[in-house]
Amino acid sequence: MALRRILYCGDPILSRKAGRIHEMDDGVVELLRDLRETMLEAGGLGLAAAQIGVPLAAVTVLRDPESDSVLKLINPRIVEQEGEQEGSESCLSLPTLRGVVIRPARVVVEALDLNGEVIRAEGEGLMARCLAHEVDHLDGRLFIDSVEPDSLCWLRPDESEEAGYRTEPTTVEEAREAFDRLRKQREGLT
Ligand code: NI
């Protein structure tokens, strides 16, 4: 098992459509294992393969934080959705950014498991939000692409606040620029 580096918003892989997986070989087993481990280590609720630099249609979603129970979904797609919910969202590829996204209230996802069997994952509330967010990643969409622009904010550590942070409003453009800078710093170009 290996922890993988999570790519920042603006990396071309994150805006690409993920390729479907046709064969459940050792590479796919390892990919899902790494996704699971990297997601748990980072404290995320979901992680898509593109976020660790692999342009394939595979995601993990945290099912139960208590037991670290994780759904592993290959080629997932939404086959049913209903209603609407409004709520805050974040993403490991846009650390410390948060914003409101309208999502379906309930979704049903069909996917393959590691044996190539068709499985269904169903969720309401937060689980529906997570599933929709992860399926969006496979289409090259990040939450910043569908965020309610006025709701976008940074979470800044602040011990004088009860929550341990304060929010600082930002714009889509400003946030993208901040992650472009982070990416360049990481690549050692600046
Ligand atoms: Ni995400």
Side-chain angles (χ1 to χ4, degrees):
M1 289 197 284
L3 286 177
R4 309 275 284 259
R5 173 189 265 189
I6 298 175
L7 301 179
Y8 291 130
C9 170
D11 192 294
I13 291 182
L14 291 174
S15 49
R16 207 182 292 165
K17 199 169 163 55
R20 288 172 68 79
I21 292 172
H22 299 290
E23 203 180 332
M24 305 303 159
D25 56 17
D26 291 348
V28 174
V29 173
E30 194 183 326
L31 170 63
L32 270 297
R33 214 161 44 198
D34 288 354
L35 272 176
R36 177 183 187 278
E37 195 188 358
T38 305
M39 178 188 77
L40 292 175
E41 169 73 19
L45 299 178
L47 191 63
Q51 291 179 274
I52 58 169
V54 180
L56 292 176
V59 306
T60 48
V61 173
L62 187 61
R63 185 162 38 189
D64 175 17
E66 297 293 308
S67 64
D68 284 355
S69 165
V70 170
L71 278 172
K72 294 177 176 175
L73 304 174
I74 294 160
N75 301 339
R77 61 193 182 96
I78 293 177
V79 292
E80 266 178 58
Q81 63 179 66
E82 58 180 313
E84 211 176 80
Q85 60 167 318
E86 197 181 299
S88 262
E89 224 161 275
S90 57
C91 178
L92 293 174
S93 290
L94 300 105
T96 74
L97 192 69
R98 193 175 74 180
V100 170
V101 182
I102 314 261
R103 297 284 188 191
R106 174 181 166 271
V107 303
V108 180
V109 165
E110 215 167 77
L112 297 177
D113 66 12
L114 284 168
N115 298 314
E117 305 286 339
V118 176
I119 51 170
R120 281 163 84 89
E122 189 177 336
E124 293 178 9
L126 184 60
M127 181 53 92
R129 176 171 296 284
C130 287
L131 289 169
H133 176 120
E134 295 313 320
V135 171
D136 260 6
H137 271 299
L138 304 183
D139 290 326
R141 287 180 68 81
L142 300 176
F143 90 84
I144 198 173
D145 297 316
S146 38
V147 74
E148 301 293 304
D150 293 345
S151 71
L152 203 62
C153 61
W154 299 108
L155 304 184
R156 303 291 193 202
D158 185 344
E159 296 195 350
S160 67
E161 298 288 330
E162 200 178 325
Y165 61 81
R166 62 190 155 78
T167 58
E168 187 183 300
T170 186
T171 62
V172 169
E173 200 178 34
E174 200 178 80
R176 286 190 192 283
E177 282 169 7
F179 290 114
D180 283 344
R181 280 196 300 275
L182 270 179
R183 276 195 359 267
K184 285 178 184 151
Q185 273 169 22
R186 187 185 255 180
E187 290 160 10
L189 296 179
T190 53

